[in-house]
Amino acid sequence: MTLDAWRLAVGTLSAWPVRPPRTVDRDVAGRAMLLAPLAVLPLAVAATLLVLVADAAGLAPFVTGLLVVALLALGTRAFHLDGLADTADGLTSSYERERTLAVMRSGDVGPAGAAALVLVLGLQAAGVAALAASDAALVVGAAVLLSRGTLALACARPVPAGEGSRLGATVAGTVPVVAAVAALLVWTALLVGSGLLVDVPWWRTLVAAGVAVVVLALLLLRARRRLGGVTGDVLGAGVELTLAAVLVVLS
């Protein structure tokens, strides 16, 4: 069952080819959400190494930021970015739930989705650029892991699934609250520790994690009111928004 959870986490959250899980039930889904940061650990390491190599090559910090954003998009098949665009389009399209869900399922990127992609990716690139300029490459990788660590919180048991969402129905409410909070504390501690290693004040990384949680909470509250709960698109949007929040605060 743990192997199925690992396969589900890697196959869903990264571009690495893995065998499909034999069984996907709510227990497997909950474990997969807890394993999410480990599933993208190679991607986080790659992002850190890219910052170091770009710095050694003398690239401009913002160019480095754009390259890291591109790496993360390629390493996840742009899955989370698709969720961000669909969520933005849906939540700005109508106040009627059925219409909102229909827009999110359409797959087309509208003005709101395009704007969300430009703004969020721009903020991420700028945040990475600031960290690259201050020789804090290690924090970039830790921020990637923390953003995936928030998935456990988004799938904690009080959070319902959005109407008609197969992925939402599979993962929503599958993670015990205690486990979700414990996981968040672990990845927050890693962010704080990585910051201390490169002379980033502990309080700044702690504030960054706190802001990410607030951003996620606001997104989940909005999704619950408009969609009935979380969907796959909302989870993807949560990953991108929390990563942007962490990087902006740390910049």
Side-chain angles (χ1 to χ4, degrees), residues 15-60:
W16 316 127
V18 293
R19 292 182 179 180
R22 294 182 178 179
T23 303
V24 179
D25 54 23
R26 292 180 62 78
D27 186 45
V28 169
R31 295 186 184 189
M33 294 301 98
L34 288 169
L35 289 171
L38 294 178
V40 297
L41 181 59
L43 191 58
V45 172
T48 297
L49 292 177
L50 178 56
V51 174
L52 293 173
V53 171
D55 180 65
L59 294 183

Side-chain angles (χ1 to χ4, degrees), residues 6-212:
W6 176 251
R7 288 174 175 172
L8 180 61
V10 174
T12 303
L13 300 172
S14 77
W16 316 127
V18 293
R19 292 182 179 180
R22 294 182 178 179
T23 303
V24 179
D25 54 23
R26 292 180 62 78
D27 186 45
V28 169
R31 295 186 184 189
M33 294 301 98
L34 288 169
L35 289 171
L38 294 178
V40 297
L41 181 59
L43 191 58
V45 172
T48 297
L49 292 177
L50 178 56
V51 174
L52 293 173
V53 171
D55 180 65
L59 294 183
F62 193 68
V63 173
T64 300
L66 291 173
L67 289 175
V68 169
V69 167
L71 172 69
L72 295 177
L74 290 173
T76 58
R77 305 190 304 272
F79 175 73
H80 306 308
L81 295 176
D82 178 68
L84 173 64
D86 287 345
T87 300
D89 282 331
L91 293 180
T92 58
S93 64
S94 172
Y95 287 104
E96 295 180 2
R97 182 172 296 178
E98 292 183 0
R99 171 62 178 165
T100 299
L101 290 169
V103 170
M104 293 174 68
R105 295 191 190 106
S106 69
D108 298 329
V109 178
L117 289 173
V118 171
L119 292 172
V120 173
L121 291 177
L123 289 173
Q124 290 178 2
V128 172
L131 292 172
S134 57
D135 297 322
L138 192 60
V139 180
V140 174
V144 172
L145 296 177
L146 177 64
S147 67
R148 275 62 177 179
T150 61
L151 284 171
L153 202 60
C155 296
R157 285 180 179 168
V159 183
E163 291 186 8
S165 172
R166 286 188 294 178
L167 182 57
T170 301
V171 301
T174 59
V175 182
V177 175
V178 173
V181 173
L184 183 65
L185 290 176
V186 167
W187 301 114
T188 298
L190 180 65
L191 181 69
V192 173
S194 65
L196 291 175
L197 290 175
V198 290
D199 297 325
V200 176
W202 65 267
W203 58 266
R204 180 169 291 177
T205 46
L206 199 59
V207 169
V211 171

